[in-house]
Amino acid sequence: MTFILLLWKYRDKKYYRMFLSDRISFYILFIGIIFLFSMFIFATFGHNTTNEDSARYVISALLQGEAATLAIVLSLTLIAIQQISSSYSIRLMEVFKKSPDFWILSVFYIVSIFYQTWVLKQIQPSSELSLVSIIFPNMESRIVFSISLGIVSFSLLLPYTWNTIELLKPSTPIKILLDKISSNDFPSSTGINPFTRNLKSLAPFLPIYDIIIASIKNNDYATASFGISQLQLKVEEMYFDLFEKNHILYSDNFHFLLSYYEQIEKIGIIAINNNENDVIFDSIESLTTTYISFVEKGFAISHFNPMKQIMKIGVACSNKNLEYEVIHSVESLEKILSTLAGSKSNNSMKEITITVAAIQIIYESCLANGQFAPCRKVGDILNSHLNYNYDYMYI
């Protein structure tokens, strides 16, 4: 029992980032422990010989039970997968199709049913004279092995059910899909037309964007927030990885960053239309935090910055009279402005100008919509930053 509990703990800890070989190893280990445990019970408390009628009845009952269980479990699983895919993204089908749990359970049940059917056919009153199995030398061993297979088959439903329930949570496919994406998925796009380049930059992340957008429409803030935060971490990780490989601040490989900014802007606009204020804050914060982390590490790319996207979200919030969200977008731009002011990047002046221009556009939108609180906030920000002697700016 201690081994089983340790095994269960191992499974839970490794679930999210478990590769195919790890999952198969887990099931092999699980099947081995349950099988040895059942054989030990039979060897310790069982009889040396089994009545042919009893053996035939038990194995027949196991066969019917396993067949019925397999049919019910697979039917319910397919229905659940169809429901979650239609609710979030049809692209999730690939995640479920490649999950080893479904195939391991199916194959094990089919093998078990075939073997038990073969043993059942051999049980005769004169079983000592029946055909000798290649695996076991006597009928008693085959009967015990068949019953042990039944025990293992039903025991497999425990990890299978747990894994399937976890897999049906929208946050789990997000984790699995992001784990599969690497910087190698974004080769240089030199010589490729812009449409194809943008599609290649967007494709690996499309299922995650679909899940986040569907979560917003389903009022599932927890999943949307989780997806945005995990996406941000992945983009930062890939950016730093690509920089280390290229050792330059600009490369065609980095177009995925622009796609990321544009998709987060889209998510923010959808959140505004669905009155998901928390997701609006998360979208703005994600764009701001990502860019600031690049600037602080000296990796800022003037070609790919999120000021335009933050500005569009701020203007959309202004048009919906969401003053707190407008103020948050302005404060986020102020954070970027302060970070750029302390940056030694050669492009910092250009990016400062872009940031101030974005703040001005939000200010004009607020002024047109009669939102004076954000206007005052913008005025305070611009006045405070005039102390940096940005003489070239038009304010």
Side-chain angles (χ1 to χ4, degrees):
M1 185 60 69
T2 303
F3 285 111
I4 295 175
L5 292 174
L6 289 173
L7 182 60
W8 188 264
K9 181 179 179 181
Y10 167 79
R11 184 221 62 79
D12 185 60
K13 181 178 179 181
K14 296 288 289 181
Y15 177 80
Y16 288 113
R17 295 181 180 273
M18 195 177 285
F19 295 101
L20 179 62
S21 59
D22 295 326
R23 189 68 64 82
I24 293 174
S25 299
F26 163 76
Y27 275 105
I28 291 174
L29 189 58
F30 183 87
I31 290 170
I33 290 176
I34 298 297
F35 179 76
L36 292 175
F37 180 74
S38 63
M39 293 293 286
F40 170 77
I41 294 297
F42 278 114
T44 306
F45 303 104
H47 299 286
N48 292 329
T49 57
T50 304
N51 180 270
E52 289 84 358
D53 292 334
S54 299
R56 190 180 293 109
Y57 176 80
V58 170
I59 295 177
S60 178
L62 283 174
L63 276 169
Q64 296 176 52
E66 289 172 13
T69 301
L70 181 63
I72 293 171
V73 168
L74 296 188
S75 298
L76 292 176
T77 301
L78 293 175
I79 292 172
I81 291 173
Q82 192 275 333
Q83 288 290 331
I84 197 74
S85 298
S86 60
S87 297
Y88 289 95
S89 173
I90 195 65
R91 296 182 180 90
L92 289 180
M93 281 290 186
E94 285 299 312
V95 175
F96 296 112
K97 187 173 72 174
K98 293 179 181 179
S99 174
D101 302 271
F102 182 88
W103 305 110
I104 290 173
L105 185 78
S106 301
V107 169
F108 190 87
Y109 265 74
I110 291 171
V111 170
S112 177
I113 288 171
F114 269 102
Y115 181 81
Q116 289 167 345
T117 303
W118 176 72
V119 172
L120 182 64
K121 190 177 183 302
Q122 291 192 55
I123 299 177
Q124 301 173 5
S126 55
S127 58
E128 293 81 4
L129 301 176
S130 61
L131 295 176
V132 178
S133 171
I134 298 175
I135 302 175
F136 296 106
N138 57 69
M139 178 59 70
E140 183 64 29
S141 298
R142 294 197 289 275
I143 292 172
V144 171
F145 187 77
S146 297
I147 296 173
S148 297
L149 280 178
I151 295 172
V152 174
S153 297
F154 291 116
S155 299
L156 275 176
L157 293 175
L158 292 174
Y160 173 78
T161 304
W162 181 277
N163 286 336
T164 302
I165 291 173
E166 287 292 314
L167 194 60
L168 291 174
K169 294 179 181 178
S171 57
T172 303
I174 290 175
K175 198 78 172 179
I176 294 173
L177 289 166
L178 286 175
D179 283 344
K180 293 179 180 179
I181 300 174
S182 70
S183 58
N184 296 326
D185 296 326
F186 302 93
S188 177
S189 55
T190 304
I192 299 177
N193 67 71
F195 178 79
T196 305
R197 180 191 62 202
N198 293 337
L199 190 61
K200 284 179 176 290
S201 300
L202 183 61
F205 293 107
L206 274 176
I208 296 98
Y209 293 135
D210 288 346
I211 295 173
I212 294 172
I213 291 171
S215 299
I216 295 171
K217 294 179 179 179
N218 294 334
N219 297 316
D220 184 4
Y221 164 69
T223 300
S225 178
F226 178 81
I228 292 171
S229 62
Q230 293 299 309
L231 195 58
Q232 175 191 331
L233 293 174
K234 189 65 179 182
V235 167
E236 291 179 6
E237 173 192 325
M238 288 175 51
Y239 176 78
F240 296 138
D241 186 39
L242 281 172
F243 177 79
E244 289 177 0
K245 290 180 179 179
N246 292 281
H247 297 287
I248 52 176
L249 290 178
Y250 174 76
S251 171
D252 285 337
N253 305 73
F254 292 136
H255 277 91
F256 77 90
L257 191 58
L258 179 59
S259 297
Y260 165 71
Y261 289 151
E262 291 174 345
Q263 290 301 312
I264 293 296
E265 175 203 332
K266 179 181 177 182
I267 289 168
I269 299 300
I270 292 173
I272 292 169
N273 295 330
N274 286 270
N275 297 316
E276 285 288 346
N277 297 350
D278 291 329
V279 179
I280 300 171
F281 275 89
D282 288 343
S283 301
I284 296 172
E285 195 65 27
S286 176
L287 292 170
T288 306
T289 305
T290 302
Y291 187 69
I292 287 177
S293 68
F294 296 158
V295 174
E296 289 177 341
K297 291 179 173 62
F299 295 153
I301 302 179
S302 59
H303 303 79
F304 304 126
N305 58 63
M307 281 74 96
K308 179 181 177 181
Q309 284 71 35
I310 297 174
M311 177 269 293
K312 287 184 176 180
I313 294 175
V315 171
C317 289
S318 175
N319 294 334
K320 289 284 186 177
N321 292 316
L322 301 173
E323 292 194 5
Y324 288 109
E325 287 74 12
V326 174
I327 291 174
H328 183 64
S329 65
V330 172
E331 289 175 342
S332 297
L333 289 170
E334 181 189 17
K335 289 180 183 177
I336 292 175
L337 193 60
S338 299
T339 305
L340 289 170
S343 171
K344 297 180 181 180
S345 171
N346 295 329
N347 296 319
S348 61
M349 292 298 112
K350 179 181 178 180
E351 292 167 347
I352 287 171
T353 306
I354 294 172
T355 307
V356 173
I359 295 174
Q360 287 178 321
I361 293 173
I362 295 176
Y363 173 81
E364 291 170 1
S365 177
C366 293
L367 199 61
N369 292 316
Q371 297 163 346
F372 300 109
C375 287
R376 285 194 294 271
K377 182 66 178 177
V378 171
D380 293 340
I381 290 171
L382 294 178
N383 289 332
S384 65
H385 283 278
L386 283 174
N387 297 327
Y388 285 102
N389 295 321
Y390 299 152
D391 298 330
Y392 54 87
M393 280 190 274
Y394 174 77
I395 299 179

